[in-house]
Amino acid sequence: MDGNTADFSEDFDAGALEGAQGTIPGAQASDEFAQRLEEAYGKPLDSLAYGPESYDATILVALAAVHSGGTDGPSIQSSMAAVSGATGGTECSAFAECVEPARRW
C-alpha cells in the first residue's frame, strides 16, 4: 500500500485528517489486467500501484533485447528509443505481436 492512502486513523487524533485526500500512483489498471496480474502472482494483491507501468517497462526491456540482439545493459539501452515509439515504429499492444516488428525497427 502506498503511504498516500494508508490508514493513519490510529496515529492521529480523531478529525485531524478530516478532509485529507490521498493519491494512488500510476495508471488505473483495467479489471482484465488486474485479474491477470493476480493470477500470475498467485494470490489477491492489496494494491496494483505501478502495476501497469512495471508491466510496460518489462515489455519494453524485452523488446529492446529483441531489437538489439543482446541482453546486456548497453545493448538494451541503445534500443529503448526504437521500441518505445520515440522513433516512429509500428504500434502494437501485446508482446507477441511486437516481437517481429521489433526485429525490423
Side-chain angles (χ1 to χ4, degrees):
M1 176 178 297
D2 184 82
N4 289 328
T5 57
D7 181 0
F8 292 106
S9 61
E10 300 294 322
D11 299 327
F12 296 96
D13 294 334
L17 296 176
E18 190 171 321
Q21 296 182 18
T23 59
I24 302 291
Q28 178 66 39
S30 70
D31 291 341
E32 178 188 358
F33 180 81
Q35 181 179 357
R36 288 176 46 214
L37 197 59
E38 289 186 346
E39 286 172 3
Y41 191 66
K43 64 180 183 178
L45 300 170
D46 293 333
S47 172
L48 299 175
Y50 298 114
E53 294 83 0
S54 297
Y55 178 85
D56 286 348
T58 301
I59 296 301
L60 282 173
V61 167
L63 289 172
V66 168
H67 179 265
S68 69
T71 57
D72 59 290
S75 295
I76 290 171
Q77 185 278 328
S78 72
S79 292
M80 287 298 286
V83 300
S84 68
T87 60
T90 302
E91 187 173 327
C92 52
S93 59
F95 181 78
E97 79 181 63
C98 297
V99 170
E100 285 308 314
R103 290 188 169 116
R104 297 187 305 268
W105 290 326

